[in-house]
Coordinates of all heavy atoms in Angstrom, one line a residue:
M25 N 1.4 18.7 -15.9 CA 1.5 17.3 -15.7 C 0.5 16.8 -14.7 O 0.4 17.5 -13.6 CB 2.9 16.9 -15.3 CG 3.2 15.4 -15.2 SD 4.9 15.1 -14.6 CE 5.8 14.9 -16.1
G26 N -0.3 15.8 -14.9 CA -1.3 15.3 -14.0 C -0.7 14.4 -12.9 O 0.5 14.0 -13.0
V27 N -1.5 14.1 -11.9 CA -1.0 13.3 -10.8 C -0.5 12.0 -11.3 O 0.5 11.5 -10.8 CB -2.1 13.2 -9.7 CG1 -1.7 12.2 -8.6 CG2 -2.5 14.5 -9.1
E28 N -1.3 11.3 -12.1 CA -0.9 10.0 -12.6 C 0.4 10.0 -13.3 O 1.2 9.1 -13.2 CB -2.0 9.4 -13.4 CG -3.2 9.0 -12.6 CD -4.2 8.1 -13.3 OE1 -4.0 7.9 -14.5 OE2 -5.2 7.8 -12.7
Q29 N 0.6 11.1 -14.1 CA 1.9 11.2 -14.8 C 3.0 11.4 -13.9 O 4.1 10.9 -14.0 CB 1.8 12.3 -15.8 CG 0.9 12.0 -17.0 CD 0.6 13.3 -17.9 OE1 0.2 14.3 -17.4 NE2 1.0 13.2 -19.2
K30 N 2.8 12.2 -12.8 CA 3.8 12.5 -11.9 C 4.2 11.2 -11.1 O 5.4 10.9 -10.9 CB 3.4 13.5 -10.9 CG 3.3 15.0 -11.4 CD 2.8 15.9 -10.4 CE 2.6 17.3 -11.0 NZ 2.0 18.3 -10.1
L31 N 3.2 10.4 -10.8 CA 3.4 9.2 -10.1 C 4.2 8.2 -11.0 O 5.0 7.4 -10.5 CB 2.1 8.5 -9.6 CG 1.4 9.3 -8.5 CD1 0.1 8.6 -8.2 CD2 2.2 9.3 -7.2
G32 N 3.9 8.3 -12.3 CA 4.5 7.4 -13.2 C 6.0 7.5 -13.4 O 6.6 6.6 -13.9
V33 N 6.5 8.7 -13.0 CA 8.0 8.8 -13.1 C 8.7 8.3 -11.9 O 10.0 8.3 -11.9 CB 8.4 10.3 -13.4 CG1 7.7 10.8 -14.7 CG2 8.0 11.2 -12.3
N34 N 8.0 8.0 -10.8 CA 8.7 7.4 -9.6 C 9.3 6.1 -10.0 O 8.9 5.4 -10.8 CB 7.7 7.3 -8.5 CG 7.2 8.6 -8.0 OD1 7.9 9.6 -8.0 ND2 6.0 8.6 -7.5
K35 N 10.4 5.8 -9.2 CA 11.0 4.5 -9.3 C 10.8 3.7 -8.0 O 10.8 4.3 -6.9 CB 12.5 4.7 -9.5 CG 13.3 3.5 -9.7 CD 14.8 3.9 -9.9 CE 15.7 2.7 -9.6 NZ 17.1 3.1 -9.5
F36 N 10.7 2.4 -8.1 CA 10.5 1.6 -6.9 C 11.5 0.5 -6.8 O 11.7 -0.2 -7.8 CB 9.1 1.0 -6.9 CG 7.9 1.9 -6.9 CD1 7.4 2.4 -8.1 CD2 7.5 2.5 -5.8 CE1 6.4 3.3 -8.1 CE2 6.4 3.4 -5.7 CZ 5.9 3.8 -6.9
V37 N 12.2 0.5 -5.7 CA 13.2 -0.5 -5.5 C 12.5 -1.6 -4.6 O 12.4 -1.4 -3.4 CB 14.5 0.0 -4.9 CG1 15.5 -1.1 -4.7 CG2 15.0 1.2 -5.7
V38 N 12.1 -2.6 -5.2 CA 11.2 -3.6 -4.5 C 12.1 -4.6 -3.7 O 13.0 -5.3 -4.3 CB 10.3 -4.3 -5.5 CG1 9.4 -5.3 -4.8 CG2 9.4 -3.3 -6.2
D39 N 11.8 -4.8 -2.5 CA 12.4 -5.8 -1.6 C 11.6 -7.1 -1.8 O 10.8 -7.4 -0.9 CB 12.4 -5.3 -0.2 CG 13.3 -6.1 0.7 OD1 13.9 -7.1 0.2 OD2 13.4 -5.8 1.9
D40 N 11.9 -7.8 -2.8 CA 11.1 -9.0 -3.2 C 11.1 -10.0 -2.0 O 12.1 -10.3 -1.4 CB 11.7 -9.7 -4.4 CG 11.3 -9.0 -5.7 OD1 10.2 -8.5 -5.7 OD2 12.2 -9.0 -6.6
G41 N 9.9 -10.4 -1.7 CA 9.7 -11.4 -0.6 C 9.8 -10.9 0.8 O 9.7 -11.6 1.8
N42 N 9.9 -9.6 0.9 CA 10.0 -9.0 2.2 C 9.1 -7.7 2.3 O 9.6 -6.6 2.3 CB 11.4 -8.6 2.6 CG 11.6 -8.1 4.0 OD1 10.8 -8.5 4.9 ND2 12.6 -7.3 4.3
P43 N 7.8 -7.9 2.2 CA 6.9 -6.8 2.2 C 6.9 -5.9 3.4 O 7.0 -6.4 4.5 CB 5.5 -7.4 2.0 CG 5.6 -8.8 2.5 CD 7.1 -9.2 2.2
H44 N 7.0 -4.6 3.2 CA 7.1 -3.7 4.4 C 5.7 -3.4 5.0 O 5.6 -2.9 6.1 CB 7.7 -2.4 4.0 CG 7.0 -1.6 3.0 ND1 7.0 -1.9 1.7 CD2 6.3 -0.4 3.1 CE1 6.3 -1.0 1.0 NE2 5.8 -0.1 1.8
I45 N 4.6 -3.8 4.2 CA 3.3 -3.7 4.7 C 2.6 -5.1 4.6 O 2.7 -5.7 3.5 CB 2.4 -2.7 4.0 CG1 3.1 -1.3 4.1 CG2 1.0 -2.7 4.4 CD1 2.4 -0.2 3.3
K46 N 2.1 -5.6 5.7 CA 1.4 -6.9 5.6 C -0.1 -6.7 6.0 O -0.3 -6.0 7.0 CB 2.1 -7.9 6.6 CG 3.5 -8.2 6.2 CD 4.1 -9.3 7.1 CE 5.6 -9.4 6.8 NZ 6.4 -8.9 7.8
V47 N -0.9 -7.3 5.3 CA -2.4 -7.1 5.5 C -3.0 -8.5 6.0 O -2.7 -9.5 5.4 CB -3.1 -6.7 4.2 CG1 -4.6 -6.5 4.4 CG2 -2.5 -5.3 3.8
N48 N -3.7 -8.4 7.1 CA -4.4 -9.6 7.6 C -5.7 -9.7 6.9 O -6.7 -9.1 7.3 CB -4.5 -9.5 9.1 CG -5.1 -10.8 9.7 OD1 -5.9 -11.4 9.2 ND2 -4.6 -11.1 10.9
K49 N -5.8 -10.6 6.0 CA -7.0 -10.7 5.2 C -8.2 -11.3 5.9 O -9.4 -11.0 5.6 CB -6.8 -11.6 3.9 CG -5.7 -10.9 3.0 CD -5.5 -11.7 1.8 CE -4.4 -11.0 0.9 NZ -4.2 -11.8 -0.3
E50 N -7.9 -12.0 7.0 CA -9.0 -12.5 7.8 C -9.7 -11.4 8.6 O -10.9 -11.3 8.7 CB -8.5 -13.6 8.8 CG -8.1 -14.9 8.2 CD -9.2 -15.5 7.3 OE1 -10.3 -15.6 7.8 OE2 -8.9 -15.8 6.2
I51 N -8.9 -10.4 9.0 CA -9.5 -9.2 9.7 C -10.3 -8.4 8.6 O -11.4 -7.9 8.9 CB -8.4 -8.4 10.4 CG1 -7.8 -9.2 11.5 CG2 -9.0 -7.1 10.9 CD1 -6.7 -8.5 12.3
C52 N -9.7 -8.3 7.5 CA -10.3 -7.5 6.4 C -11.7 -8.0 6.1 O -12.6 -7.3 5.7 CB -9.5 -7.5 5.1 SG -7.9 -6.6 5.3
K53 N -11.9 -9.3 6.2 CA -13.3 -9.9 6.0 C -14.3 -9.3 6.9 O -15.5 -9.3 6.6 CB -13.2 -11.4 6.1 CG -12.5 -12.1 4.9 CD -12.5 -13.6 5.1 CE -11.8 -14.3 3.9 NZ -11.5 -15.7 4.1
T54 N -13.9 -8.8 8.0 CA -14.9 -8.3 9.0 C -15.0 -6.7 8.8 O -15.8 -6.1 9.6 CB -14.4 -8.5 10.4 OG1 -13.2 -7.7 10.7 CG2 -14.0 -10.0 10.7
C55 N -14.4 -6.2 7.8 CA -14.4 -4.7 7.6 C -15.5 -4.4 6.6 O -15.4 -4.9 5.4 CB -13.0 -4.3 7.1 SG -12.9 -2.5 6.8
G56 N -16.4 -3.6 7.0 CA -17.6 -3.3 6.2 C -17.3 -2.4 5.0 O -17.5 -2.7 3.8
I57 N -16.7 -1.2 5.3 CA -16.6 -0.2 4.2 C -15.3 -0.2 3.5 O -15.2 0.3 2.4 CB -16.9 1.2 4.8 CG1 -15.9 1.5 5.9 CG2 -18.3 1.4 5.3 CD1 -15.9 2.9 6.4
K58 N -14.3 -0.9 4.0 CA -13.0 -1.1 3.3 C -12.5 0.2 2.7 O -12.3 0.3 1.5 CB -13.1 -2.2 2.2 CG -13.4 -3.5 2.8 CD -13.5 -4.6 1.8 CE -13.6 -6.0 2.3 NZ -14.6 -6.3 3.4
P59 N -12.2 1.2 3.5 CA -11.8 2.5 3.0 C -10.4 2.5 2.2 O -10.2 3.3 1.4 CB -11.7 3.4 4.2 CG -11.5 2.5 5.4 CD -12.3 1.2 5.0
C60 N -9.6 1.5 2.5 CA -8.3 1.4 1.8 C -8.5 1.3 0.3 O -7.7 1.7 -0.5 CB -7.6 0.2 2.3 SG -8.5 -1.4 2.1
L61 N -9.7 0.7 -0.1 CA -9.9 0.6 -1.6 C -9.9 1.9 -2.3 O -9.5 1.9 -3.5 CB -11.2 -0.2 -1.8 CG -11.3 -1.6 -1.4 CD1 -12.7 -2.2 -1.5 CD2 -10.3 -2.5 -2.2
V62 N -10.3 2.9 -1.7 CA -10.4 4.2 -2.3 C -9.4 5.2 -1.8 O -9.1 6.2 -2.4 CB -11.8 4.9 -2.2 CG1 -12.8 4.0 -2.9 CG2 -12.2 5.0 -0.7
A63 N -8.8 4.9 -0.6 CA -7.9 5.9 0.0 C -6.4 5.8 -0.5 O -5.7 6.8 -0.5 CB -7.9 5.8 1.5
C64 N -6.0 4.6 -0.9 CA -4.6 4.5 -1.3 C -4.4 5.2 -2.6 O -5.0 4.9 -3.6 CB -4.3 3.0 -1.4 SG -2.6 2.7 -2.1
P65 N -3.5 6.2 -2.7 CA -3.3 6.9 -3.9 C -2.6 6.1 -5.0 O -2.7 6.5 -6.2 CB -2.3 8.1 -3.4 CG -1.6 7.6 -2.2 CD -2.6 6.6 -1.5
A66 N -2.1 5.0 -4.7 CA -1.5 4.1 -5.7 C -2.4 3.0 -6.1 O -2.0 2.1 -6.9 CB -0.1 3.6 -5.2
S67 N -3.6 2.9 -5.5 CA -4.6 1.9 -5.8 C -4.0 0.5 -5.6 O -4.2 -0.4 -6.4 CB -5.1 2.0 -7.2 OG -5.7 3.3 -7.4
L68 N -3.3 0.3 -4.5 CA -2.7 -1.0 -4.2 C -3.6 -2.0 -3.5 O -3.3 -3.2 -3.5 CB -1.4 -0.8 -3.4 CG -0.3 0.1 -4.0 CD1 0.9 0.2 -3.1 CD2 0.1 -0.5 -5.4
Y69 N -4.7 -1.5 -3.0 CA -5.7 -2.4 -2.4 C -6.8 -2.6 -3.4 O -7.4 -1.6 -3.9 CB -6.3 -1.7 -1.1 CG -5.3 -1.6 0.0 CD1 -4.4 -0.6 0.1 CD2 -5.3 -2.6 1.0 CE1 -3.5 -0.5 1.2 CE2 -4.4 -2.5 2.1 CZ -3.5 -1.4 2.2 OH -2.7 -1.3 3.2
T70 N -7.1 -3.8 -3.7 CA -8.1 -4.2 -4.6 C -8.9 -5.3 -4.1 O -8.5 -6.0 -3.1 CB -7.6 -4.6 -6.0 OG1 -6.6 -5.6 -5.8 CG2 -6.9 -3.4 -6.7
L71 N -10.1 -5.6 -4.7 CA -10.9 -6.7 -4.3 C -10.8 -7.8 -5.3 O -11.0 -7.5 -6.5 CB -12.4 -6.3 -4.1 CG -12.9 -5.8 -2.8 CD1 -14.4 -5.5 -2.9 CD2 -12.6 -6.7 -1.7
K72 N -10.5 -9.0 -4.8 CA -10.5 -10.2 -5.7 C -11.4 -11.2 -5.1 O -11.1 -11.8 -4.0 CB -9.1 -10.7 -5.9 CG -8.3 -9.8 -6.8 CD -7.0 -10.5 -7.4 CE -6.3 -9.5 -8.2 NZ -4.9 -9.6 -8.2
E73 N -12.5 -11.5 -5.8 CA -13.5 -12.4 -5.3 C -13.9 -12.1 -3.8 O -13.9 -13.0 -3.0 CB -13.0 -13.9 -5.5 CG -12.9 -14.2 -6.9 CD -12.3 -15.6 -7.1 OE1 -11.9 -16.3 -6.1 OE2 -12.1 -16.0 -8.3
D74 N -14.2 -10.9 -3.5 CA -14.6 -10.4 -2.2 C -13.5 -10.4 -1.2 O -13.8 -10.0 0.0 CB -15.8 -11.2 -1.7 CG -17.1 -10.9 -2.5 OD1 -17.1 -9.8 -3.1 OD2 -18.0 -11.8 -2.5
D75 N -12.3 -10.8 -1.5 CA -11.2 -10.7 -0.6 C -10.3 -9.5 -0.9 O -10.0 -9.3 -2.1 CB -10.4 -12.0 -0.6 CG -11.0 -13.1 0.2 OD1 -11.8 -12.8 1.1 OD2 -10.7 -14.3 0.0
I76 N -9.7 -8.9 0.1 CA -8.7 -7.8 -0.2 C -7.4 -8.4 -0.8 O -6.9 -9.5 -0.3 CB -8.4 -7.1 1.1 CG1 -9.5 -6.2 1.5 CG2 -7.1 -6.3 1.0 CD1 -9.6 -4.9 0.7
S77 N -7.0 -7.8 -1.8 CA -5.7 -8.2 -2.4 C -4.8 -6.9 -2.3 O -5.2 -5.8 -2.5 CB -5.9 -8.5 -3.9 OG -4.7 -8.8 -4.5
F78 N -3.5 -7.1 -1.9 CA -2.6 -6.0 -1.7 C -1.3 -6.3 -2.3 O -0.7 -7.4 -2.1 CB -2.5 -5.7 -0.2 CG -1.4 -4.7 0.1 CD1 -1.7 -3.3 -0.2 CD2 -0.2 -5.0 0.7 CE1 -0.8 -2.3 0.0 CE2 0.7 -4.0 0.9 CZ 0.4 -2.7 0.6
D79 N -0.8 -5.3 -3.0 CA 0.6 -5.4 -3.6 C 1.4 -4.3 -3.1 O 1.2 -3.1 -3.4 CB 0.4 -5.3 -5.2 CG 1.8 -5.4 -5.9 OD1 2.8 -5.7 -5.2 OD2 1.8 -5.2 -7.1
F80 N 2.5 -4.6 -2.4 CA 3.3 -3.5 -1.8 C 4.2 -2.9 -2.7 O 4.9 -1.8 -2.4 CB 4.0 -4.1 -0.6 CG 5.2 -5.0 -0.9 CD1 6.5 -4.5 -0.9 CD2 5.0 -6.3 -1.3 CE1 7.6 -5.3 -1.3 CE2 6.1 -7.1 -1.6 CZ 7.3 -6.6 -1.6
A81 N 4.4 -3.4 -3.9 CA 5.5 -3.0 -4.8 C 5.4 -1.5 -5.2 O 6.5 -0.9 -5.5 CB 5.5 -3.9 -6.0
G82 N 4.3 -0.9 -5.4 CA 4.2 0.4 -5.8 C 3.9 1.4 -4.7 O 3.4 2.5 -5.0
C83 N 4.2 1.0 -3.5 CA 3.8 1.9 -2.3 C 4.5 3.2 -2.3 O 5.8 3.2 -2.4 CB 4.1 1.1 -1.0 SG 3.6 2.0 0.5
L84 N 3.8 4.3 -2.0 CA 4.4 5.6 -2.0 C 4.8 6.0 -0.5 O 5.3 7.1 -0.3 CB 3.3 6.6 -2.4 CG 2.9 6.4 -3.9 CD1 1.6 7.3 -4.2 CD2 4.0 6.7 -4.9
E85 N 4.6 5.1 0.4 CA 5.0 5.3 1.8 C 4.3 6.5 2.4 O 4.9 7.2 3.3 CB 6.5 5.3 1.9 CG 7.2 4.1 1.4 CD 8.7 4.2 1.2 OE1 9.3 5.0 1.9 OE2 9.2 3.5 0.3
C86 N 3.1 6.7 2.0 CA 2.4 7.9 2.5 C 1.7 7.7 3.9 O 1.4 8.6 4.6 CB 1.3 8.4 1.5 SG 0.0 7.2 1.3
G87 N 1.4 6.4 4.2 CA 0.8 6.1 5.5 C -0.7 6.3 5.6 O -1.3 6.0 6.6
T88 N -1.3 6.6 4.5 CA -2.8 6.8 4.5 C -3.5 5.5 4.9 O -4.4 5.6 5.7 CB -3.2 7.2 3.1 OG1 -2.5 8.4 2.7 CG2 -4.7 7.4 3.1
C89 N -3.1 4.4 4.4 CA -3.8 3.1 4.8 C -3.7 2.9 6.3 O -4.7 2.4 6.9 CB -3.3 2.0 3.9 SG -1.6 1.7 4.0
R90 N -2.6 3.2 6.8 CA -2.3 2.9 8.2 C -3.3 3.8 9.1 O -3.8 3.3 10.1 CB -0.9 3.3 8.5 CG -0.5 3.1 9.9 CD 0.9 3.6 10.1 NE 1.6 3.2 11.3 CZ 2.8 3.4 11.7 NH1 3.6 4.1 10.9 NH2 3.3 2.9 12.8
V91 N -3.5 5.0 8.6 CA -4.3 5.9 9.4 C -5.8 5.7 9.2 O -6.5 5.7 10.2 CB -4.0 7.4 9.0 CG1 -4.9 8.4 9.6 CG2 -2.5 7.7 9.3
I92 N -6.2 5.3 8.0 CA -7.6 5.2 7.7 C -8.2 3.9 8.1 O -9.4 3.8 8.2 CB -7.8 5.5 6.2 CG1 -9.2 6.1 6.0 CG2 -7.5 4.4 5.3 CD1 -9.4 6.7 4.7
C93 N -7.4 2.8 8.2 CA -7.9 1.5 8.5 C -8.6 1.5 9.8 O -8.0 1.8 10.9 CB -6.8 0.5 8.5 SG -7.4 -1.2 8.8
P94 N -9.9 1.0 9.9 CA -10.6 1.1 11.1 C -10.4 -0.2 12.0 O -10.9 -0.3 13.1 CB -12.1 1.1 10.7 CG -12.1 0.4 9.4 CD -10.7 0.6 8.8
K95 N -9.7 -1.2 11.5 CA -9.6 -2.5 12.2 C -8.2 -2.6 12.8 O -7.2 -2.9 12.1 CB -9.9 -3.6 11.3 CG -11.3 -3.6 10.7 CD -12.2 -4.1 11.8 CE -13.6 -4.2 11.2 NZ -14.6 -4.7 12.2
P96 N -8.1 -2.5 14.1 CA -6.7 -2.7 14.7 C -6.1 -4.1 14.4 O -6.8 -5.1 14.4 CB -7.0 -2.7 16.2 CG -8.3 -1.9 16.3 CD -9.1 -2.2 15.1
G97 N -4.9 -4.1 14.0 CA -4.2 -5.3 13.7 C -4.3 -5.7 12.2 O -3.7 -6.7 11.8
A98 N -5.2 -5.1 11.5 CA -5.3 -5.5 10.1 C -4.1 -5.2 9.2 O -3.8 -5.9 8.3 CB -6.6 -4.8 9.5
I99 N -3.4 -4.1 9.5 CA -2.3 -3.7 8.7 C -1.1 -3.6 9.6 O -1.0 -2.9 10.6 CB -2.5 -2.3 8.0 CG1 -3.7 -2.4 7.1 CG2 -1.3 -1.9 7.3 CD1 -4.0 -1.0 6.4
D100 N 0.0 -4.4 9.3 CA 1.3 -4.3 9.9 C 2.1 -3.4 9.0 O 2.6 -3.8 8.0 CB 1.9 -5.7 10.1 CG 3.2 -5.7 10.7 OD1 3.7 -4.6 11.2 OD2 3.9 -6.7 10.7
W101 N 2.3 -2.1 9.4 CA 2.9 -1.1 8.5 C 4.3 -0.7 9.0 O 4.5 -0.4 10.2 CB 2.0 0.1 8.6 CG 2.2 1.1 7.4 CD1 1.3 1.2 6.4 CD2 3.2 2.1 7.2 NE1 1.8 2.2 5.5 CE2 2.9 2.7 6.0 CE3 4.3 2.4 8.0 CZ2 3.7 3.8 5.5 CZ3 5.1 3.4 7.5 CH2 4.8 4.1 6.3
N102 N 5.2 -0.8 8.1 CA 6.6 -0.4 8.4 C 7.1 0.3 7.1 O 6.6 0.1 6.0 CB 7.5 -1.6 8.7 CG 7.0 -2.3 9.9 OD1 7.3 -1.8 11.0 ND2 6.3 -3.4 9.8
Y103 N 8.2 1.1 7.3 CA 8.9 1.6 6.1 C 9.7 0.5 5.6 O 10.1 -0.4 6.3 CB 9.8 2.8 6.5 CG 9.1 4.1 6.7 CD1 8.9 4.6 8.0 CD2 8.5 4.8 5.6 CE1 8.2 5.8 8.1 CE2 7.8 6.0 5.7 CZ 7.7 6.5 7.0 OH 7.0 7.7 7.2
P104 N 10.0 0.5 4.3 CA 10.9 -0.4 3.7 C 12.3 -0.3 4.3 O 12.7 0.7 4.9 CB 11.0 -0.1 2.2 CG 9.8 0.8 1.9 CD 9.5 1.5 3.2
Q105 N 13.1 -1.4 4.3 CA 14.5 -1.3 4.7 C 15.2 -0.3 3.9 O 14.9 0.0 2.8 CB 15.1 -2.7 4.6 CG 14.5 -3.8 5.4 CD 15.4 -5.0 5.3 OE1 16.4 -5.1 6.0 NE2 15.0 -6.0 4.5
G106 N 16.3 0.2 4.5 CA 17.2 1.1 3.8 C 17.6 0.7 2.4 O 17.8 -0.5 2.2
T107 N 17.6 1.6 1.4 CA 17.9 1.4 0.0 C 16.7 0.9 -0.8 O 16.7 0.8 -2.0 CB 19.1 0.5 -0.3 OG1 18.8 -0.9 -0.1 CG2 20.3 0.9 0.5
F108 N 15.6 0.4 -0.1 CA 14.4 -0.1 -0.8 C 13.3 0.9 -0.7 O 13.3 1.8 0.1 CB 14.0 -1.4 -0.2 CG 14.9 -2.6 -0.4 CD1 15.7 -3.0 0.6 CD2 14.9 -3.2 -1.7 CE1 16.6 -4.1 0.4 CE2 15.8 -4.2 -1.9 CZ 16.6 -4.7 -0.9
G109 N 12.3 0.7 -1.6 CA 11.1 1.6 -1.5 C 11.1 2.6 -2.7 O 11.8 2.5 -3.6
V110 N 10.2 3.6 -2.5 CA 10.0 4.5 -3.5 C 11.1 5.6 -3.7 O 11.7 6.0 -2.7 CB 8.6 5.3 -3.3 CG1 8.7 6.1 -2.0 CG2 8.2 6.1 -4.5
V111 N 11.4 5.9 -4.9 CA 12.3 7.0 -5.2 C 11.5 8.1 -6.0 O 11.2 7.8 -7.1 CB 13.5 6.5 -6.0 CG1 14.5 7.7 -6.3 CG2 14.2 5.4 -5.4
F112 N 11.2 9.2 -5.3 CA 10.4 10.2 -5.9 C 11.3 11.0 -6.9 O 12.4 11.4 -6.6 CB 9.8 11.2 -4.9 CG 8.8 10.5 -4.0 CD1 9.1 10.1 -2.7 CD2 7.5 10.3 -4.5 CE1 8.1 9.5 -1.9 CE2 6.5 9.7 -3.7 CZ 6.8 9.3 -2.4
R113 N 10.7 11.2 -8.1 CA 11.5 11.9 -9.1 C 10.8 13.2 -9.6 O 11.3 13.8 -10.5 CB 11.6 11.0 -10.4 CG 12.5 9.8 -10.1 CD 12.6 8.9 -11.3 NE 13.8 8.2 -11.3 CZ 14.1 7.2 -12.1 NH1 13.2 6.8 -13.0 NH2 15.2 6.5 -12.0
Y114 N 9.7 13.5 -9.0 CA 9.1 14.8 -9.4 C 8.5 15.4 -8.1 O 7.7 14.9 -7.4 CB 7.9 14.5 -10.3 CG 7.3 15.8 -11.0 CD1 7.8 16.2 -12.2 CD2 6.4 16.5 -10.3 CE1 7.3 17.4 -12.8 CE2 5.9 17.7 -10.9 CZ 6.3 18.1 -12.1 OH 5.8 19.2 -12.6
G115 N 9.0 16.7 -7.9 CA 8.5 17.4 -6.7 C 9.1 17.0 -5.4 O 10.0 16.1 -5.4
Ligands
LIG1 S1 -9.5 -0.8 5.7 FE1 -8.1 -2.1 6.9 S2 -9.4 -3.8 7.7 FE2 -10.6 -2.7 6.1 S3 -10.2 -3.9 4.2 FE3 -8.7 -2.2 4.3 S4 -6.9 -3.1 5.3 FE4 -8.6 -4.5 5.7
LIG2 S1 1.3 3.7 2.5 FE1 0.1 4.9 1.0 S2 0.7 4.2 -1.0 FE2 1.4 2.7 0.5 S3 -0.2 1.2 0.5 FE3 -0.7 2.6 2.2 S4 -2.0 4.2 1.3 FE4 -1.1 3.0 -0.4

């Protein structure tokens, strides 16, 4: 089974309207290399008309974006509230 297939069996309990990760898009505009675009294993950071777009719904809670982001204050990172978030089903 490949990585994408393994990720595909996970379940996400989404806390609608209450994102556990918030991204400051104004700070992102000052970020040159935007490593989040390639570092997030769930590909939740994308570019839309040169602006960062982020969808928290499929977050694996790995913390990579929090560690790799070079701009202080750009990412407000928290775990989801209890009962919400990813439910790993493989491994
Ligand atoms: S790495 Fe951080 S500052 Fe840069 S685009 Fe991504 S979230 Fe924004
Ligand atoms: S915590 Fe991991 S999966 Fe979630 S947005 Fe950051 S890099 Fe992506």
